[in-house]
Amino acid sequence: MTATDDLMGPSPNLALSLTGDLRAPRLPGEDEINALIGESLPWTLEGELDPISGHLELARLEMTAAAAQLSAAGPLDLNTGSGTLATVATVPELAALQPLTSLRLGGQLELSGPVTLAELGSRIDADLKGRWTQPTSDVALVGLAAGSGVDLATQLSFAGGTLRLTETSARSPRSQINLALTLTPEAEL
């Protein structure tokens, strides 16, 4: 960490460049999700913190789990635990998500867009767009409809353990699908 600004002034900002690795991160009772996280969760954070206001401008936040990578940048208010981040999530091989669904899916998925956090992440809203490339599935209809790739767009929210997908669309050269979905902690696909 380094201080930037006039140290004699009212509020020097701190330039942050941090790296770390969470070893054996676990969510109690969530064995499938824990398998996707893996044995470690390496992360990098770069940004600038105003210690007086609690404003953190993230230049780069990156995390790599066993099944996915996440990167984000943008402003956070540490006092309220809120902010909106430009985010990119990549799942190099969808087959890694098999513990979460009864469908077998393959291919790569990348989604990007603004993600809004509130109350230290207890509420998350996102407007994401991306592409599922080289799609495969054990359900023949999914593979047929997906063709060589699918453009995806979704608005999602997560609060109180419930995930809601609204205004979700999937378009391929062969098909167009629109849906809405609510997943509670007890739901299974």
Side-chain angles (χ1 to χ4, degrees), residues 13-24:
N13 290 340
L14 299 174
L16 304 174
S17 181
L18 308 168
T19 59
D21 193 354
L22 295 173
R23 299 288 179 182

Side-chain angles (χ1 to χ4, degrees), residues 98-154:
Q98 181 61 40
L100 297 180
T101 175
S102 58
L103 296 175
R104 292 186 191 271
L105 300 174
Q108 179 180 0
L109 176 65
E110 182 171 295
L111 296 171
S112 62
V115 174
T116 302
L117 307 172
E119 301 169 10
L120 297 173
S122 60
R123 177 165 179 88
I124 301 171
D125 294 298
D127 187 2
L128 303 172
K129 294 181 178 163
R131 185 154 178 83
W132 177 17
T133 56
Q134 301 175 344
T136 63
S137 174
D138 62 338
V139 177
L141 183 58
V142 172
L144 180 65
S148 62
V150 179
D151 293 317
L152 302 166
T154 188

Side-chain angles (χ1 to χ4, degrees), residues 4-125:
T4 60
D5 207 3
D6 179 4
L7 290 178
M8 302 307 284
S11 138
N13 290 340
L14 299 174
L16 304 174
S17 181
L18 308 168
T19 59
D21 193 354
L22 295 173
R23 299 288 179 182
R26 296 288 167 254
L27 297 171
E30 299 293 338
D31 294 339
E32 293 88 3
I33 293 174
N34 291 333
L36 297 176
I37 294 170
E39 291 304 313
S40 71
L41 189 59
W43 57 270
T44 299
L45 182 149
E46 294 176 357
E48 189 167 287
L49 173 65
D50 180 339
I52 303 299
S53 71
H55 177 82
L56 174 61
E57 185 66 37
L58 282 174
R60 180 174 73 132
L61 173 63
E62 294 179 352
M63 289 184 273
T64 302
Q69 293 87 41
L70 176 72
S71 64
L76 285 175
D77 181 335
L78 299 179
N79 295 313
T80 62
S82 62
T84 299
L85 304 175
T87 305
V88 177
T90 303
V91 180
E93 180 48 64
L94 281 174
L97 300 181
Q98 181 61 40
L100 297 180
T101 175
S102 58
L103 296 175
R104 292 186 191 271
L105 300 174
Q108 179 180 0
L109 176 65
E110 182 171 295
L111 296 171
S112 62
V115 174
T116 302
L117 307 172
E119 301 169 10
L120 297 173
S122 60
R123 177 165 179 88
I124 301 171
D125 294 298

